Amino acid sequence: MTPFTTKTLEKALIAKLMLNFGKAPDEATDQEMMKASALVLRDVMAIRKVETRKETRREQKKQVHYLSLEFLMGRSLMKNAYNLEVLPQLKEALEHLGFKAADIFELEPDAGLGNGGLGRLAACYLDSMTTLEIPATGYSICYELGIFKQKIVEGQQVELPDDWKDLGAAWLLPKPEEVQEVRFGGTLREFWDDGHLHIVNENAITVMAIPCDMVVAGYGTQHVNTLRLWDARASHPVDMALFSRGEYLKAAEEEAMAKTIAKVLYPEDNHYEGKSLRLKQQYFFVSATVQSIARNHLETYGTLKNFHEKNVIQINDTHPTLVIPELMRIFIDEAGMSWDEAWEITRQSVAYTNHTVLAEALERWPQSLVETLLPRIWQIIQEISARWQRKVEDFYHDPAKTQKMAILWDGEVRMANLCIAGGMAVNGVSGLHSDILKKDVFKEACGMEPWKFQNVTNGIDHRRWLSEINPGLDGLIRDLMGGDEYLTHPSALRKLDAYADDKAVQERLAAIKRKNKEDFAAYAKKTQGVVLNPDAIFDVQVKRLHEYKRQLLNVLHIISLYQKLQEDPNAITHPHTFLFGAKAAPGYAVAKRIIRLINSLADEIDHNPICKDKLQVVFLENYRVSLAERLMPASEVSQQISTAGKEASGTGNMKFMMNGALTIGTLDGANVEMHEVLGDENMFLFGLHADEVERLKKEGYVPQRLYNRDPVLHNCLNALRKGFRDGVSYEDLYQRLLFGAGGSPADEYLLLADFQSYCQAEQRMAETYGNAEAWNRMSIHNIARSGIFAADRAVAEYADNIWHVPHK
């Protein structure tokens, strides 16, 4: 039941404008109306949150605590209105009060508290946990600046600060009464009392963690959950005693540390200061979170001995790993438990999701840094490590395995191994990824404790990524199904398979896609000044810029098409537009060079008359959630071309599939499961498989042979050296592919090995596109079989198999 009619919503908006801004609707700015709309919906959710909390306590329900250093929430106004089932009423009310609803929604900044897939996944799971009525809280940092705003200047990425909180803070409910103290540095003093060893941290720098709660509404339920974002404040802005002695910098040390902790998402950690700040961020949010959970648990139960029965902490990637020693610290130092009792409870309370097989992404911290910053945590990690090492030695009697599984080794703390040792479950995020974890990355740990290892294939919030962003397709699905059953039972989408050969349905789907393309073309013209041809194939690759995701392979293929066009102006029979969207990490030089290359190529093609209405390349600036919401419904081809065995899962692939785009992809990540439900006939597969990749690398891969043997590839790579009309040479990328650079082997991610197969897949796709009936049939099958990739299914699997909590 919706909380508002259009009329009551109008009254609530008018009242909110008057109370909060002292203005009538005809005096209010669009910004004030956006904030008023957010506050009205926030009030409804806050009331429901009180009821949800009361019910959780009354029935003593087990709670899920989802810890992630990233939550990429995007915009919340339309999403919350949709989930509260008042979106049509809100649009009408805004129009009645003299505002353009679309303008109000567009004003809201993306809450960019994440880099990409990891943070977006966390946001989707929070939505599903709420919809499935699982008592859950997400935890992260209330970053003042989210992921940077990307500006392209002369073809190159420039990072600008992303100050989202001016308007975005309307969703935040500060809870200063629930502040937690987090301590850094200091010295440890030990003493015996009452037969117990007590350890006190003295002279530490204390940072106050202030919770700012963002309330999350589920769909079709009164249940409400919370995203708790921790803001940092100094316990004493200035130490007056030090200030009086003239030690001005030291006097403001606490304030300086507090300000930096919550300032920016992920500082660069390729230098000591960056590593130090990132570790501070991780401990800050973990310590505040665990203290908060323990305090609330004690208020309800009066003891921490049943903590594991009533709480489960899910670690999203290794960033929150310090939850394990922090739980131990609280159980031993504050609750007076023995080591064995504390360890048993900790081990049954924590579960770990691994998101990568890339060795460089499995976090390792310098021992000296942990020892200095977190002396008590360091002591506990040492003890965990020693006991775990003994366990490994007793099981394997093999020094090589002991070294690989060690938590402390060679002056480093290995966070993934700490997660495995201290948790009850370890899961990968796709079938292939979980197999690689079991058989390779964590092979020895799986051999010792096989019961810990599970798979939960990722999922997306289909209500947002289909129904909300693609109303045309949503309308078609509802008409064919006779209702909106799929919103809460995504597997119902499978019924669409029956309409795959229905000409009328195919034509309606084609018309919806055409309208979405026209809408996106208008948006691109307005925001970026670029003119897109809606008759062209919209061939899209949007994701973080990383070498293993192989945007460069896409570029090499486009160069080959461009060269072919110059030899034969009729080589491309149907207009083809390649759209890229990607941010490169600020310190990732190669990724930034690839962005510049894409823009150089786009400029070259744009200025060559031969390419007009045949070939176009566009780099979409500042790719983010709100841009993705416009792009996905308009996309026709989804590029999922990572080196097999490197992508853990991917979720963009699922969003494209759900919106009817067809995939050109390798058998990597969740593409494997997509292939299982789609078959060869409904996607365009290419490239080496994961086992073939490993075999080729073992046998000795020599990319120069391919360069010398394949004239098309030869000419593409030479074009990198020569550069384009802007005069920039990409000799460095040429060298990297053929000879390696900076310690990386030549063509580390096998672009050249897969080049020919990829070009053939693109050719098959272009030929199929010419047959509208075949294309639309494949598109319907993709939509119909995408229900398995809904976050509701993934969260239900976590609930049943790892968390052991009931759900709707």
Side-chain angles (χ1 to χ4, degrees), residues 334-408:
E334 296 181 13
M337 293 184 194
S338 68
W339 179 277
D340 290 341
E341 185 181 20
W343 182 247
E344 198 55 33
I345 295 170
T346 297
R347 205 183 50 75
Q348 292 180 66
S349 303
V350 179
Y352 160 52
T353 300
N354 172 279
H355 284 276
T356 183
V357 299
L358 300 177
E360 67 270 21
L362 293 172
E363 288 185 303
R364 297 170 177 221
W365 292 107
Q367 170 185 321
S368 57
L369 186 62
V370 181
E371 200 172 351
T372 308
L373 266 185
L374 311 169
R376 178 59 178 141
I377 292 300
W378 166 246
Q379 280 188 340
I380 292 167
I381 290 173
Q382 281 182 296
E383 185 65 21
I384 293 172
S385 174
R387 290 172 182 243
W388 174 249
Q389 199 159 312
R390 282 200 297 276
K391 184 174 177 177
V392 173
E393 285 166 352
D394 290 347
F395 187 86
Y396 277 121
H397 307 288
D398 180 343
K401 289 183 171 62
T402 300
Q403 179 177 341
K404 191 173 176 193
M405 291 173 69
I407 294 167
L408 295 179

Side-chain angles (χ1 to χ4, degrees), residues 238-406:
V238 175
D239 185 322
M240 290 309 295
L242 287 169
F243 191 86
S244 302
R245 292 204 301 268
E247 296 180 46
Y248 306 124
L249 290 176
K250 193 162 176 57
E253 195 173 6
E254 282 191 11
E255 186 177 31
M257 184 188 282
K259 278 185 174 175
T260 55
I261 282 175
K263 189 75 176 178
V264 66
L265 171 76
Y266 284 2
E268 278 304 305
D269 68 347
N270 50 9
H271 45 75
Y272 186 85
E273 287 76 13
K275 276 187 168 57
S276 174
L277 178 51
R278 196 180 284 203
L279 185 61
K280 285 174 192 165
Q281 285 185 333
Q282 293 186 3
Y283 184 66
F284 168 76
F285 114 93
V286 157
S287 179
T289 296
V290 174
Q291 290 183 67
S292 171
I293 298 168
R295 184 163 84 176
N296 290 335
H297 181 89
L298 273 171
E299 281 176 14
T300 306
Y301 301 101
T303 177
L304 291 174
K305 290 182 183 291
N306 65 341
F307 184 89
H308 56 294
E309 294 167 12
K310 298 299 179 183
N311 299 280
V312 59
I313 296 172
Q314 187 69 42
I315 296 176
N316 193 32
D317 216 349
T318 52
H319 311 127
T321 304
L322 292 172
V323 79
I324 292 165
E326 179 67 5
L327 270 174
M328 291 294 287
R329 184 188 71 78
I330 287 173
F331 292 152
I332 294 169
D333 293 359
E334 296 181 13
M337 293 184 194
S338 68
W339 179 277
D340 290 341
E341 185 181 20
W343 182 247
E344 198 55 33
I345 295 170
T346 297
R347 205 183 50 75
Q348 292 180 66
S349 303
V350 179
Y352 160 52
T353 300
N354 172 279
H355 284 276
T356 183
V357 299
L358 300 177
E360 67 270 21
L362 293 172
E363 288 185 303
R364 297 170 177 221
W365 292 107
Q367 170 185 321
S368 57
L369 186 62
V370 181
E371 200 172 351
T372 308
L373 266 185
L374 311 169
R376 178 59 178 141
I377 292 300
W378 166 246
Q379 280 188 340
I380 292 167
I381 290 173
Q382 281 182 296
E383 185 65 21
I384 293 172
S385 174
R387 290 172 182 243
W388 174 249
Q389 199 159 312
R390 282 200 297 276
K391 184 174 177 177
V392 173
E393 285 166 352
D394 290 347
F395 187 86
Y396 277 121
H397 307 288
D398 180 343
K401 289 183 171 62
T402 300
Q403 179 177 341
K404 191 173 176 193
M405 291 173 69

